Amino acid sequence: MKKLIVLSDDNREYEVNNPERFLNHLNKYHSKKGKGDNSIHEENGYYFTVTNDFYESIVKWFDRL
């Protein structure tokens, strides 16, 4: 599977080890009606503001597989 690499809020690259789990988590806790809700997701010391653009970039990554 292609690697999912996202930028944290402080512009550090983070490789998501399990993209499906990551998206499922965003869907459950950081989105409303299919849009990012501007909440903060923390993973392994990396922080991500789940804006609509960030959320859509993750969804589109799956579309490109």
Side-chain angles (χ1 to χ4, degrees):
M1 182 183 257
K2 186 176 166 188
K3 292 182 181 181
L4 173 59
I5 299 183
V6 293
L7 284 179
S8 66
D9 287 349
D10 62 355
N11 288 318
R12 293 184 294 155
E13 288 187 351
Y14 178 73
E15 182 179 340
V16 177
N17 291 325
N18 187 332
E20 287 183 17
R21 183 195 57 78
F22 189 78
L23 179 58
N24 288 338
H25 178 84
L26 295 182
N27 285 332
K28 187 171 183 178
Y29 298 106
H30 300 288
S31 67
K32 292 182 182 170
K33 298 182 181 178
K35 297 187 181 232
D37 67 2
N38 294 308
S39 59
I40 304 293
H41 170 68
E42 184 275 331
E43 187 158 318
N44 298 323
Y46 291 78
Y47 294 87
F48 308 93
T49 302
V50 185
T51 63
N52 195 48
D53 288 341
F54 179 84
Y55 179 81
E56 284 184 6
S57 71
I58 304 303
V59 172
K60 287 179 182 177
W61 181 86
F62 280 92
D63 290 341
R64 291 188 295 260
L65 291 179

